[in-house]
Amino acid sequence: MTATAPAPESLTSVFVRLKLSLLRNGLRQSAGRTAAYVSSIVVSVLFGAAVLLAFVLLRGHADAGSVAVLLTGFLALSWAVMPLFVPGGDETLDPSRLVMLPLRPRPLVRSLLVASLVGTGPAFTLIVAVGAALALAHGAAGVVASVLAVPLLVLVCVALSRAVAAANVRLLTSRKGRDLAVLSGLLIAVGIQVVNFGAQRLSRAGGLEVLEPVAAVVSWLPPASAVAAVDSASRGDHALAAGRLLLTVVVLGGLLYWWQRSLVKLMTTPDGSTIGAAPEPGRDRAGTGLLGRLLPGGRTGTVMERSLRYIWRDPKTKAAWTTSLVIGAIVPMFNALQGTGSVYWASFASWMLGMLMYNQFGQDTSAFWMVAQTISTPADAYAELRARALALLLITVPFTVLVTSGTAAVSGDWAALPEALGLALALLGAMVAVGALASAMFPYSIPQDGAFKNVAPGQGGLAWISIFGGVIVAALMCAPLIGTAIYLHVADERSLAWLLLPAGAVYGALIAWGGLKLAAPRTAARLPEILAAVSKG
C-alpha cells in the first residue's frame, strides 16, 4: 500500500504560528524587550479589568448605553490611528514583506485577520467588548445581540487597523511616516488635555446625560453601532438592533474589501518613492521659489530660507516646532476656557516658542561644519545669528499676537490685551537674546537615530544649563516691565497700561538685538568647540 501524502497545512495556521514565532523571537532579543512586553501585558490586563469592573457597576444605569457607545467609539478610533503613529510596533504590519510569495489576496486577508487577533491589543479590545455587553445586555434578545456584537466589535477594530496600515504602508516606511511617529507623543499630550477638559466640563454638568447627543451620533458609526445594537435589543427595539448589527457587518465587509484591494495594489504596483520628482513649474534649480523671492537678499535671506526649510523637512525640528506651537496655544486657551487662567497666560506661548532659539547650531548636527566654513569674523557670526532669529520671529511674533488675542477673547478680558501682549513680546525678545548666547556658550548635539532622543549621551548637563538657566535669566530680564505692570495695577493707573504694548515691543527688540551682538563674538571665538559639541554622538 502506498502511503498517503499528509494534507497541506492551512495558510491561516501558518500565519498564526508565524505571528507567535515573531513574538517569541522578538522577546529573545533582549531582557529589556521582554520586560517591556510583560509590563504591557500586565498593564493591559489591569486596565482591562478596571474597565470591565466599571461596566459591571454601570449595569442598570440609565446612561450606561451612552458610556459604552462612546468608549467603544474611542477605542475604534485608537485602532485606526495607531498604525500611523507606531508603524514599527508590530513587524506583521508591513505586508510588503509578502510581495514575493505566491499568495492570493483573499486567503491572505483571511489568514492575516486571524493572525492579527493574537496579541495584547485584541485581548484588551475583547475585554472591553465583553464589559460593554455585560453592562447593556438584558433579556434573551439582549444576550443574543451581545453574542453577535462582541466578535463583530473585535473584528472591525482589527480589520480597520490592518486596512489603514496596508493602505499607508509605503507612507509608514518613508520619512513622512517617521514624522508621524515623532509627532505621536504630541498628539497624545494634546489628547490628554482634551480629555481633561472634557472631564472637567462633565463634572460641572453634574451628570452623564450630557453625553446622550454625542452618543446618539456615534451609535451609528461601526463598531460602536454593534454595542448600541445590544442596548436597542435589550430595550425591545429589535428592528433597530438588527439594523445596527447589519450596518456593522456591512462595514466589516467593506473594510476587508479595502484591505484586499490595498494588498493587490501593493503586490502589483511598483514603489515610486525612489523616482525623482520633476521640478516644479516656475522654480529653478537654485531653489529661488516663492519663499526665496519673499525673503531679503544676501546671506540673511539664504539663512532664513534654510532655517524655514529645516522646520518643514527635518523631523526633529518639525516635531519641536509643532510641539511648541500646539502646546503654546492650548495651555493658555484651555486655562481661559476653564476659568482658571487670564490673558497673561499668553506669555506661556512666548516661553515655548522662545526656547526654539536655544541650541541653534546643535539643530544642524554634523552639517554645521558647512556653516562654520562661512564664519570667520564676529560680523559673519552676527549675520548668521540674526538671520536665524528673524526666521524664528517671522513665525513666533504673529503667533504670539494670535494666541494673546484668542486668550483675551475666550476670557473676555479685552482691556488687558495691550498689556499682556507687550509683556509677551518682551519675553519673546529676552528668550531670543538668551537663546543666542546659550547657543554659543552651551551647544550640544541632537541625535538623529531616535525619535525621542534629543540630547547625546554625556551632554544632558549642558542641555539643562542652556535651557532652564536661560529661562530664569530671560524672566529676570523682563523684570522692569513686569514691575511696571504691577505698579500700574497697585496704583490704580490701569488707563496707562496700554503703554506697555509699545514699550514691550521696543524693549523686546532692543534686548534681542543686544543678545545677538553679545553672542556673535563668542560664536566666532568658540567655533571649533561648537563644531565638536554639535557633531558628538
Side-chain angles (χ1 to χ4, degrees):
M1 296 178 62
T2 58
T4 58
E9 191 173 4
S10 68
L11 185 62
T12 302
S13 62
V14 171
F15 271 83
V16 172
R17 290 194 299 106
L18 177 61
K19 179 66 177 288
L20 294 174
S21 299
L22 287 172
L23 291 175
R24 182 174 60 253
N25 294 335
L27 296 178
R28 291 176 178 175
Q29 291 182 2
S30 65
R33 186 165 183 173
T34 302
Y37 188 74
V38 173
S39 300
S40 68
I41 294 177
V42 173
V43 171
S44 299
V45 171
L46 292 178
F47 190 63
V51 173
L52 182 61
L53 178 61
F55 272 129
V56 172
L57 296 177
L58 275 176
R59 181 177 175 83
H61 195 279
D63 299 309
S66 299
V67 175
V69 165
L70 291 178
L71 183 58
T72 52
F74 178 78
L75 182 63
L77 178 63
S78 302
W79 273 96
V81 301
M82 195 57 66
L84 299 178
F85 296 138
V86 194
D90 187 353
E91 291 86 348
T92 62
L93 278 176
D94 187 1
S96 61
R97 302 182 180 185
L98 309 173
V99 169
M100 301 303 295
L101 299 179
L103 301 174
R104 294 184 178 275
R106 183 170 298 178
L108 179 60
V109 167
R110 181 177 61 251
S111 302
L112 286 174
L113 179 62
V114 176
S116 300
L117 298 175
V118 178
T120 56
F124 175 77
T125 305
L126 178 61
I127 293 175
V128 173
V130 171
L134 290 176
L136 300 178
H138 298 281
V143 172
V144 172
S146 65
V147 171
L148 298 174
V150 169
L152 277 176
L153 172 61
V154 178
L155 289 174
V156 169
C157 287
V158 174
L160 176 62
S161 175
R162 292 295 174 160
V164 171
N168 297 277
V169 63
R170 285 172 179 165
L171 168 65
L172 300 180
T173 55
S174 66
R175 179 177 59 84
K176 291 183 178 181
R178 292 192 293 271
D179 291 350
L180 288 172
V182 170
L183 297 177
S184 60
L186 167 66
L187 295 182
I188 292 173
V190 174
I192 291 174
Q193 290 288 337
V194 173
V195 171
N196 179 48
F197 176 70
Q200 292 188 7
R201 294 293 296 270
L202 185 61
S203 63
R204 293 176 184 175
L208 298 175
E209 61 273 2
V210 295
L211 299 176
E212 292 182 3
V214 181
V217 176
V218 178
S219 64
W220 288 100
L221 301 177
S225 57
V227 175
V230 179
D231 190 35
S232 299
S234 300
R235 296 176 184 273
D237 196 342
H238 301 154
L240 182 60
R244 284 172 167 165
L245 286 174
L246 180 61
L247 175 63
T248 308
V249 172
V250 171
V251 170
L252 175 61
L255 289 173
L256 295 177
Y257 179 75
W258 179 29
W259 186 6
Q260 179 179 328
R261 294 297 300 171
S262 298
L263 290 176
V264 172
K265 182 178 179 181
L266 182 67
M267 294 180 175
T268 58
T269 305
D271 185 3
S273 61
T274 57
I275 301 176
E280 299 177 10
R283 183 184 182 92
D284 57 26
R285 301 289 294 179
T288 56
L290 178 61
L291 179 61
R293 291 194 295 270
L294 293 175
L295 298 175
R299 177 170 186 149
T300 299
T302 302
V303 175
M304 289 180 66
E305 184 173 2
R306 183 186 69 215
S307 299
L308 294 173
R309 292 193 183 279
Y310 274 177
I311 296 172
W312 182 251
R313 294 181 177 179
D314 181 63
K316 287 290 183 72
T317 306
K318 181 188 294 186
W321 270 91
T322 307
T323 301
S324 298
L325 291 172
V326 175
I327 301 299
I330 67 172
V331 168
M333 298 287 283
F334 271 48
N335 277 278
L337 281 171
Q338 294 171 3
T340 58
S342 65
V343 67
Y344 301 100
W345 266 96
S347 295
F348 183 81
S350 299
W351 176 68
M352 288 292 298
L353 297 171
M355 283 197 298
L356 297 171
M357 188 65 191
Y358 289 71
N359 197 34
Q360 277 291 310
F361 307 125
Q363 298 174 18
D364 297 347
T365 63
S366 58
F368 177 69
W369 73 269
M370 299 181 66
V371 178
Q373 304 303 313
T374 66
I375 300 176
S376 57
T377 64
D380 295 333
Y382 174 73
E384 178 74 23
L385 287 170
R386 182 187 61 186
R388 290 174 182 247
L390 289 175
L392 182 140
L393 293 173
L394 187 65
I395 300 174
T396 56
V397 170
F399 185 79
T400 301
V401 174
L402 181 63
V403 170
T404 309
S405 302
T407 307
V410 173
S411 62
D413 192 6
W414 287 103
L417 174 60
E419 177 184 355
L421 183 56
L423 293 174
L425 293 176
L427 178 60
L428 182 59
M431 293 290 289
V432 169
V434 179
L437 284 167
S439 297
M441 302 303 297
F442 304 106
Y444 55 91
S445 176
I446 301 178
Q448 298 296 304
D449 57 346
F452 303 101
K453 292 172 61 178
N454 294 312
V455 182
Q459 293 185 327
L462 285 174
W464 281 89
I465 293 173
S466 172
I467 296 176
F468 290 98
V471 167
I472 295 174
V473 173
L476 293 175
M477 293 170 69
C478 295
L481 284 177
I482 297 175
T484 303
I486 295 175
Y487 170 78
L488 291 176
H489 282 266
V490 172
D492 200 17
E493 296 288 347
R494 298 186 181 183
S495 60
L496 300 176
W498 67 271
L499 293 173
L500 287 173
L501 175 55
V506 173
Y507 183 81
L510 290 176
I511 205 170
W513 172 79
L516 294 174
K517 281 292 187 181
L518 289 175
R522 290 165 174 78
T523 300
R526 302 189 72 252
L527 204 57
E529 291 87 347
I530 295 174
L531 183 58
V534 302
S535 301
K536 183 178 180 181

